[in-house]
């Protein structure tokens, strides 16, 4: 199962939902997909979807999912990391009116460079390949997630502290 979440930001993230829905329609994705669509206006045709989910439902889907695809909000990609899963992270971009600026892009680049435990997607056309190669990418030596939650949390706290100091 693949779980997609766009968080609770009030601007739509149709670009991600449309791409995943298209990949299901084209049989690139052949497993069940569940989407949390938030304030997006696109209604998926090929995926089970919910506007919003309870915290418990989110945790359950994250735990059950083989792949989690999320936007670049820290809480949304930290949850899969805490479940010892490597998320595919597609940051919202200002040019598509998905956010007020590109802080998600900048933040995802920073986390990828410093922590190496997410799979970033900046060009939506690359999402297909990250999904198809997910097992290979997530099991590579460069993704050191196996038991480094403590290290990640400490590193993440330092990054956030450095940003706001």
């Amino acid at each position: 199962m693949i779980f997609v979440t766009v968080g609770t930001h009030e601007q739509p993230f149709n670009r991600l939902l449309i791409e995943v829905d298209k990949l299901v329609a084209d049989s690139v994705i052949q497993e069940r997909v569940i989407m949390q669509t938030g304030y997006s206006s696109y209604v998926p045709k090929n995926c089970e979807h919910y506007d919003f989910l309870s915290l418990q439902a989110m945790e359950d889907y994250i735990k059950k999912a083989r792949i989690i695809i999320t936007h670049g909000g820290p809480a949304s990609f930290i949850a899969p990391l805490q479940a010892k899963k490597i998320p595919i992270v597609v940051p919202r971009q200002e040019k598509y009116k998905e956010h007020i600026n590109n802080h998600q892009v900048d933040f995802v680049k920073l986390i990828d460079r410093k922590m190496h435990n997410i799979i970033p997607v900046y060009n939506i056309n690359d999402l297909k390949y990250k999904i198809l190669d997910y097992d290979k990418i997530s099991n590579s030596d460069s993704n050191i997630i196996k038991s480094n939650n403590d290290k990640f949390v400490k590193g993440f706290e330092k990054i956030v502290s450095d940003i706001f100091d």
Side-chain angles (χ1 to χ4, degrees), residues 45-81:
K45 298 167 189 61
N46 305 292
C47 304
E48 186 177 333
H49 57 91
Y50 306 91
D51 293 345
F52 298 98
L53 295 165
S54 68
L55 178 60
Q56 185 61 56
M58 292 283 287
E59 289 173 353
D60 289 345
Y61 285 134
I62 288 168
K63 189 181 294 178
K64 293 175 187 171
R66 182 176 73 86
I67 298 175
I68 297 108
I69 303 171
T70 181
H71 71 120
S76 291
F77 67 80
I78 287 173
L81 289 168

Side-chain angles (χ1 to χ4, degrees), residues 84-106:
K84 299 197 181 331
K85 296 189 179 183
I86 298 175
I88 296 175
V89 183
V90 184
R92 293 170 176 263
Q93 295 184 32
E94 179 184 25
K95 70 181 175 182
Y96 299 113
K97 301 186 182 346
E98 298 160 350
H99 221 305
I100 58 170
N101 58 32
N102 282 326
H103 73 277
Q104 284 196 2
V105 174
D106 297 338

Side-chain angles (χ1 to χ4, degrees), residues 15-16 19 22-23 28 90 93 96 121-132:
R15 181 171 61 100
L16 175 57
E19 184 64 20
K22 178 180 163 285
L23 293 172
V28 172
V90 184
Q93 295 184 32
Y96 299 113
V121 174
Y122 305 105
N123 180 331
I124 202 69
N125 296 320
D126 295 337
L127 181 60
K128 169 183 176 178
Y129 306 106
K130 301 298 183 178
I131 292 169
L132 291 173

